[in-house]
Amino acid sequence: MTASTNGAHAFAVEPNPNPRTNAEREAELAHPAFGLAFTDHMARLSWTAGEGWSDRRVVPYGLIALDPAAAVLHYAQEIFEGLKAYRHADDSIWTFRPTANAERFTRSARRLALPELDPKDFLGAIEALVREDRAWVPAGADTSLYLRPFMFATEAFIGVRPSHTVEFFLIASPVGSYFANGVAPVGIWVERTTHRAGPGGTGSAKCGGNYAGAMAAQESAYAHGCEQVLYLDAVRGEYLEELGGMNIVVVFDDGTAATPPISGTILEGVTRSSILQLLADRGVDVAERPVALAEVVDGARTGRVAEVFACGTAAVMTPVGRLKGDDFEVEVGDGGAGELTMSVRAELTDIQYGRIEDRHGWTHRLI
Ligand code: COI
């Protein structure tokens, strides 16, 4: 059993008998892309109706055996999270607001009729896996170990009802920037044909189904030379919702900012809420209100919109340089990275990497 801190539950460890060699690992860590390489271990837990969660283990990373009738393969009863472990200059390893992710995981589980996972298990899995795979936390600028907790329905039953058996896994991947060009400004395709979420749907849950439904629009974005897709609200088709995998914030020429409100149809981003706090700390007036596409497109043309950025755990803060739709294409500002975007990005990452004081108590030491 690994020792736990902060009341996190303990996990038994089965060391990988064939871990990558130091040279293999160092090669993976030298230039990590996003989400392609995985560490030597994974954490897992099993749930059975009437019995609850059991079998807390860190095991060698490897294939998962699933019955072809497993409910997740048919009805997508699945949820996930995303957070990161950061190596500080003194080699200690930290994560960022894990309780916020654990709480969102619980809300997602309720929405998908999956069992709730005790936050002590969520944190216990993170602590145990990062302890085992600590050598996989990269040290390069803007690199981190991306942590991907997920839970899915395993019961071999193709009637439609919540599964009686569920598995939780945590895998980890050394990563650099989410976008191939680093923090360079990205182009956004405004999707008008499909919607990501509607009132009463699963838009605020972090479930794979939301992302599956977004793949076709992401393909359209690539076909139009853009890196990401922007969704509009499903009722009027007029207001910004979120990007395919991250939230969006608009900065105006008078120094104020606006972002779509938490309405049930967008993801309640942990990075989003952290950035709103950092902006508020600077005295920036940030409105969480419906933001019309017309306001942003016209504003980009007139200069009223000075900056737009994407934000999420994976994307951190990425400037948006261009918006494109069926009948328009506009540059935001001069198409480059906005000043406020880059300054808040620096502040956020300075907190995450322990370079400045963590005045909000967001960072959590793992090792
Ligand atoms: C994250 O930002 O962590 C996400 O989960 C987005 C993802 C789809 C890469």
Side-chain angles (χ1 to χ4, degrees):
M1 281 286 165
T2 57
S4 67
T5 58
N6 308 301
H9 287 163
F11 279 61
V13 178
E14 291 170 26
N16 189 331
N18 298 303
R20 255 69 53 84
T21 63
N22 287 348
E24 286 167 339
R25 190 183 60 244
E26 289 313 320
E28 296 281 13
L29 296 185
H31 305 286
F34 188 89
L36 286 175
F38 298 91
T39 64
D40 289 320
H41 296 87
M42 57 189 185
R44 62 179 301 170
L45 267 149
S46 304
W47 179 87
T48 305
E51 291 172 25
W53 289 102
S54 64
D55 206 16
R56 295 164 178 82
R57 283 182 295 148
V58 170
V59 297
Y61 185 94
L63 301 183
I64 299 172
L66 269 188
D67 192 295
V72 66
L73 300 177
H74 304 271
Y75 308 123
Q77 197 189 2
E78 186 269 358
I79 57 171
F80 67 97
E81 268 302 323
L83 60 171
K84 286 174 171 171
Y86 307 87
R87 189 179 289 280
H88 288 191
D90 64 358
D91 269 341
S92 58
I93 297 171
W94 300 65
T95 190
F96 187 72
R97 303 189 69 184
T99 307
N101 291 87
E103 287 167 357
R104 188 172 62 186
F105 201 56
T106 299
R107 293 196 295 277
S108 299
R110 284 186 196 133
R111 182 64 184 85
L112 272 284
L114 284 161
E116 291 179 25
L117 184 74
D118 187 333
K120 289 179 180 150
D121 279 323
F122 188 90
L123 197 56
I126 291 172
E127 289 189 351
L129 182 63
V130 173
R131 191 176 304 116
E132 207 53 29
D133 282 338
R134 70 179 77 187
W136 283 91
V137 183
D142 285 331
T143 64
S144 56
L145 186 67
Y146 185 81
L147 303 169
R148 172 54 62 86
F150 58 108
M151 184 200 287
F152 56 91
T154 54
E155 187 179 353
F157 175 64
I158 54 171
V160 180
R161 59 139 172 80
S163 178
H164 290 165
T165 56
V166 166
E167 291 284 325
F168 167 88
F169 280 82
L170 168 66
I171 57 174
S173 171
V175 298
S177 294
Y178 182 73
F179 292 105
N181 293 333
V183 284
V186 291
I188 298 296
W189 169 249
V190 179
E191 170 66 15
R192 284 197 168 112
T193 314
T194 63
H195 293 284
R196 178 184 171 276
T202 56
S204 66
K206 206 158 174 65
C207 61
N210 288 342
Y211 297 78
M215 296 296 174
Q218 183 62 44
E219 246 181 12
S220 301
Y222 292 142
H224 288 91
C226 296
E227 284 89 345
Q228 266 287 310
V229 52
L230 167 67
Y231 288 98
L232 301 178
D233 75 282
V235 177
R236 300 169 61 115
E238 285 178 20
Y239 298 100
L240 313 193
E241 286 272 296
E242 70 179 78
L243 305 178
M246 46 213 77
N247 297 118
I248 185 164
V249 178
V250 179
V251 180
F252 297 99
D253 60 349
D254 60 3
T256 63
T259 192
I262 297 299
S263 60
T265 58
I266 70 166
L267 195 74
E268 299 170 17
V270 176
T271 308
R272 173 189 179 281
S273 84
S274 309
I275 290 166
L276 297 191
Q277 181 65 57
L278 295 182
L279 287 168
D281 293 352
R282 292 170 179 225
V284 174
D285 177 9
V286 191
E288 293 183 67
R289 62 155 171 92
V291 182
L293 175 67
E295 178 186 2
V296 179
V297 172
D298 293 347
R301 288 196 177 113
T302 61
R304 165 78 180 128
V305 168
E307 304 180 25
V308 175
F309 62 83
C311 58
T313 299
V316 193
M317 285 173 76
T318 303
V320 171
R322 198 162 53 89
L323 292 166
K324 189 174 176 182
D326 286 327
D327 50 3
F328 69 89
E329 180 160 8
V330 285
E331 259 196 2
V332 179
D334 61 3
E339 206 178 304
L340 185 65
T341 303
M342 295 314 283
S343 160
V344 176
R345 185 184 195 285
E347 184 178 359
L348 177 66
T349 53
D350 281 348
I351 294 170
Q352 291 170 332
Y353 287 92
R355 295 186 289 252
I356 60 172
E357 187 205 346
D358 171 19
R359 63 183 180 280
H360 293 292
W362 285 335
T363 56
H364 173 99
R365 186 166 182 167
L366 295 171
I367 294 177

